[in-house]
């Protein structure tokens, strides 16, 4: 193919030298198929070639609309112009030309729309419903995203307070139980907000991660309560009675008292038992049988 192109260029040069024609190789272009065509200047084409404007009659209901539009425009561009006249959204329009629905990407000249052609416009109810549902879905997602962001800011503030309490406990300090309870209540409120928040799409993952984070903060505060109740190494001691009770000495003392009472009751019953024993010893059993003839 290169040899053919070079041959064509050389032939053009020879013809130019011979004076039969003047051909400049720079003005020619080679297409992928090997065809040699003359280059086009877009600026010169725009100035020299004028695209004709046509007038179409669009019927919408019982009303006709006269629209002036370029013959090389698309049906989608025509829908945009009709939106100003009819108030219908371009996506809610259905254009029919020659008893055939036309796609928005199709061109008027390709469909052979001419000056004075008649086009019928009807409202696309199904498309309108889909567009309204999509708008409601987007509005709901924006609202949910905004609510989730607000809860995220609240949880971040609470996380800083939890971290401050953890720092106090790790340094051997003691936190106020009231502060821990208040912070736990605020985190529980955030958890309830997250549970009531309805999300869709990618927001579900963000919601689950935030719920897990709030639960971790609540568990940290619960562990902090237990650690706050435990005795410290700084001299805090458990009361003696409580210590004895926890060591099991309380129940042992009660058992000793019970044994002493049982011994007293046995001592009081001893004379009666001895008397019964004597009566049983005075009774003599004989084995003499009376025989009859």
């Amino acid at each position: 193919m290169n040899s053919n192109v070079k041959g064509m260029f050389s032939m053009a040069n020879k013809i130019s030298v011979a004076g039969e024609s003047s051909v400049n190789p720079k003005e020619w272009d080679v297409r992928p198929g090997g065809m040699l065509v003359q280059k086009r200047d877009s600026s010169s084409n725009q100035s020299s070639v004028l695209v004709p404007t046509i007038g179409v009659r669009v019927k919408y209901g019982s009303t006709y609309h006269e629209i002036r539009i370029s013959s090389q425009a698309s049906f989608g561009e025509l829908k945009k112009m009709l939106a100003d006249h009819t108030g219908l959204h371009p996506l809610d329009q259905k254009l029919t030309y020659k008893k055939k629905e036309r796609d928005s990407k199709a061109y008027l000249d390709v469909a052979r729309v001419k000056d004075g052609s008649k086009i019928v416009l009807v409202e696309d109810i199904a498309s309108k419903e889909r567009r309204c549902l999509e708008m409601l879905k987007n509005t709901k997602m924006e609202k949910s995203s905004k609510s989730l962001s607000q809860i995220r800011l609240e949880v971040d503030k609470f996380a800083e307070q939890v971290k401050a309490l953890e720092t106090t406990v790790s340094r051997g300090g003691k936190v106020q139980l009231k502060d821990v309870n208040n912070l736990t209540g605020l985190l529980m409120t955030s958890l309830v907000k997250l549970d009531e928040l309805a999300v869709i799409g990618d927001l579900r993952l963000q919601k689950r991660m935030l719920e897990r984070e709030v639960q971790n903060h609540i568990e940290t505060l619960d562990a902090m309560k237990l650690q706050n109740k435990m005795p410290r190494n700084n001299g805090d001691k458990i009361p003696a009675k409580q210590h004895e009770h926890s060591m099991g000495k309380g129940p042992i003392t009660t058992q000793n008292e019970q044994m002493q009472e049982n011994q007293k009751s046995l001592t009081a019953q001893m004379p009666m038992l001895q008397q019964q024993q004597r009566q049983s010893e005075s009774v003599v059993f004989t084995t003499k049988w009376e025989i009859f003839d």
Side-chain angles (χ1 to χ4, degrees):
M1 185 180 70
N2 293 334
S3 59
N4 293 334
V5 173
K6 291 180 180 179
M8 298 176 82
F9 280 141
S10 61
M11 184 181 298
N13 292 333
K14 291 178 180 179
I15 294 173
S16 176
V17 172
E20 296 179 0
S21 64
S22 59
V23 180
N24 188 0
K26 296 181 179 180
E27 296 179 356
W28 294 84
D29 190 13
V30 181
R31 291 294 177 87
M35 182 181 295
L36 186 65
V37 296
Q38 189 175 4
K39 292 183 179 180
R40 295 182 179 181
D41 189 359
S42 59
S43 60
S44 61
N45 289 337
Q46 290 179 359
S47 60
S48 61
V49 180
L50 296 176
V51 179
T53 301
I54 60 176
V56 294
R57 298 183 65 198
V58 181
K59 181 182 178 182
Y60 175 55
S62 59
T63 307
Y64 283 89
H65 299 277
E66 298 286 344
I67 305 296
R68 302 292 299 179
I69 191 171
S70 171
S71 62
Q72 296 181 359
S74 64
F75 282 91
E77 295 175 359
L78 179 59
K79 289 180 179 180
K80 292 179 181 179
M81 297 180 68
L82 288 170
D84 298 332
H85 293 78
T86 61
L88 289 178
H89 194 277
L91 296 177
D92 301 339
Q93 299 178 21
K94 185 184 294 185
L95 293 178
T96 303
Y97 179 62
K98 291 184 178 181
K99 298 182 180 181
K100 183 179 179 181
E101 182 182 351
R102 303 295 175 170
D103 187 79
S104 298
K105 297 180 180 180
Y107 291 95
L108 298 177
D109 57 347
V110 176
R112 297 183 180 181
V113 178
K114 301 178 181 179
D115 188 32
S117 296
K118 180 182 175 181
I119 300 175
V120 180
L121 169 63
V122 294
E123 185 178 7
D124 192 350
I125 303 298
S127 177
K128 185 176 181 179
E129 291 178 351
R130 288 194 300 268
R131 188 173 61 86
C132 292
L133 290 174
E134 189 69 20
M135 290 176 60
L136 291 174
K137 180 181 177 180
N138 294 335
T139 303
K140 187 176 181 181
M141 286 187 64
E142 291 177 0
K143 185 178 179 181
S144 300
S145 178
K146 185 177 180 180
S147 300
L148 192 63
S149 299
Q150 292 178 352
I151 299 175
R152 171 86 261 180
L153 293 175
E154 293 178 357
V155 173
D156 289 342
K157 293 180 180 178
F158 301 151
E160 293 178 358
Q161 299 180 22
V162 173
K163 187 176 181 180
L165 293 177
E166 281 185 307
T167 303
T168 302
V169 173
S170 63
R171 294 178 179 176
K174 191 174 183 180
V175 297
Q176 295 294 329
L177 185 61
K178 180 180 178 181
D179 297 337
V180 177
N181 290 334
N182 291 338
L183 192 53
T184 303
L186 294 174
L187 288 170
M188 290 296 295
T189 303
S190 299
L191 198 59
V192 172
K193 291 181 181 179
L194 287 172
D195 185 62
E196 296 176 351
L197 184 61
V199 295
I200 55 178
D202 297 336
L203 296 178
R204 294 178 180 176
L205 179 60
Q206 299 181 20
K207 177 185 174 182
R208 286 197 295 267
M209 293 177 63
L210 190 56
E211 287 176 342
R212 193 175 304 168
E213 182 177 347
V214 174
Q215 291 173 355
N216 290 336
H217 291 326
I218 294 175
E219 292 175 358
T220 301
L221 292 173
D222 291 341
M224 202 178 298
K225 287 181 185 179
L226 295 175
Q227 189 175 359
N228 199 37
K229 292 179 180 180
M230 294 175 62
R232 304 286 179 177
N233 296 327
N234 54 1
D236 295 342
K237 296 181 179 180
I238 302 177
K241 293 183 179 181
Q242 184 179 356
H243 181 68
E244 291 177 358
H245 181 73
S246 62
M247 295 299 293
K249 293 183 178 180
I252 294 175
T253 304
T254 305
Q255 291 177 2
N256 292 334
E257 293 178 355
Q258 186 78 25
M259 292 176 62
Q260 291 178 2
E261 291 179 358
N262 292 337
Q263 289 179 357
K264 289 181 180 180
S265 61
L266 288 174
T267 304
Q269 293 177 3
M270 281 297 294
M272 186 179 297
L273 293 173
Q274 291 176 357
Q275 184 177 0
Q276 290 178 358
Q277 186 177 2
R278 290 170 184 171
Q279 290 178 357
S280 61
E281 290 177 354
S282 61
V283 177
V284 179
F285 294 95
T286 59
T287 57
K288 294 180 180 181
W289 303 92
E290 184 176 358
I291 301 173
F292 295 93
D293 294 337

